[in-house]
Amino acid sequence: DSGVTQTPKHLITATGQRVTLRCSPRSGDLSVYWYQQSLDQGLQFLIQYYNGEERAKGNILERFSAQQFPDLHSELNLSSLELGDSALYFCASSVSVNTGELFFGEGSRLTVL
Amino acid sequence: QQPVQSPQAVILREGEDAVINCSSSKALYSVHWYRQKHGEAPVFLMILLKGGEQKGHDKISASFNEKKQQSSLYLTASQLSYSGTYFCGTEDVDSGGGADGLTFGKGTHLIIQP
């Protein structure tokens, strides 16, 4: 158990819909990262927040957005869903703003039908 | 830019050694190694910073050749528990070790057979 909690574990929805994935980082960790994992692309970095502020952006689509709240939990919002958005979405946390050891949650598996 | 890992997959007998390579077209600041077992989250193995430092714990070690922008992960006397997918993640020098997230390779699938 990494200490990072993600909900929901599984989500099935239709194209065009919007979903929200939630992540609670390890106690004391201020950085939250979101990654997308698909079979052909591996782990793709989406976005990082540190202590409520956006710190880095990766290959995140405009249809996706995220935020980190004052209690440090984070949400990833995916809208206008397409079939290709089906993937495993991981949240990871770390203590500092720099990329040290990442602690990954168990992921949220999104299936878009 | 995504680092390139090789081989894509390897099957070994228990007790054999394995080497997994990770190379980048960019000058690297650090290389991170993770292992992911099927259906589980990736788990941190080690970080190597530029300077050619070699690290290891137990029978898993890694090297980092910053001039060649390459890192190698060495698994000696492999155990059944080593099975999984190994990912390298890189930070390039341009990010200066700052918070730009890790760029992961596509992974190397390692299967250890009894």
Side-chain angles (χ1 to χ4, degrees):
Chain A
D1 182 6
S2 67
V4 177
T5 304
Q6 288 188 247
T7 57
K9 288 193 177 352
H10 299 277
L11 195 54
I12 302 174
T13 189
T15 54
Q17 295 297 305
R18 172 189 171 95
V19 298
T20 297
L21 310 180
R22 182 188 168 100
C23 169
S24 294
R26 281 190 332 155
S27 176
D29 284 359
L30 299 179
S31 272
V32 170
Y33 303 76
W34 286 98
Y35 282 88
Q36 179 192 56
Q37 186 175 41
S38 57
L39 283 174
D40 58 341
Q41 289 298 323
L43 282 162
Q44 296 283 308
F45 170 64
L46 296 178
I47 198 164
Q48 181 209 1
Y49 280 83
Y50 175 78
N51 204 20
E53 300 288 327
E54 181 185 304
R55 289 291 299 185
K57 258 187 174 180
N59 299 321
I60 188 166
L61 300 172
E62 286 191 10
R63 299 183 285 109
F64 296 180
S65 64
Q67 53 184 325
Q68 186 179 29
F69 295 87
D71 67 352
L72 300 178
H73 91 271
S74 178
E75 291 182 356
L76 179 66
N77 300 296
L78 316 173
S79 61
S80 302
L81 286 168
E82 302 175 359
L83 296 177
D85 297 328
S86 295
L88 190 53
Y89 291 84
F90 282 109
C91 166
S93 71
S94 68
V95 170
S96 72
V97 65
N98 294 322
T99 308
E101 180 177 354
L102 298 181
F103 295 87
F104 283 83
E106 293 188 355
S108 293
R109 182 168 295 282
L110 172 66
T111 303
V112 182
L113 301 176
Chain B
Q1 189 158 355
Q2 191 173 37
V4 177
Q5 289 186 234
S6 63
Q8 288 184 316
V10 59
I11 301 174
L12 296 174
R13 293 279 183 201
E14 202 173 1
E16 292 180 338
D17 300 341
V19 180
I20 299 172
N21 300 303
C22 174
S23 64
S24 174
S25 59
K26 290 192 160 192
L28 296 177
Y29 175 80
S30 66
V31 179
H32 305 228
W33 286 97
Y34 284 78
R35 177 173 61 206
Q36 183 179 26
K37 292 184 179 288
H38 182 69
E40 299 182 7
V43 174
F44 172 80
L45 293 176
M46 64 189 77
I47 295 174
L48 300 102
L49 301 177
K50 69 172 188 168
E53 183 179 354
Q54 181 149 353
K55 280 196 168 184
H57 60 84
D58 198 10
K59 293 176 183 172
I60 300 175
S61 62
S63 63
F64 177 23
N65 186 327
E66 63 184 275
K67 289 183 180 177
K68 292 186 177 181
Q69 294 141 213
Q70 292 176 349
S71 177
S72 294
L73 185 71
Y74 307 94
L75 300 100
T76 58
S78 56
Q79 306 167 15
L80 294 175
S81 62
Y82 288 1
S83 291
T85 302
Y86 289 78
F87 292 97
C88 71
T90 58
E91 289 180 292
D92 59 51
V93 167
D94 289 343
S95 68
D100 283 351
L102 284 179
T103 303
F104 283 98
K106 291 189 178 183
T108 295
H109 303 284
L110 177 64
I111 299 172
I112 309 295
Q113 296 178 334

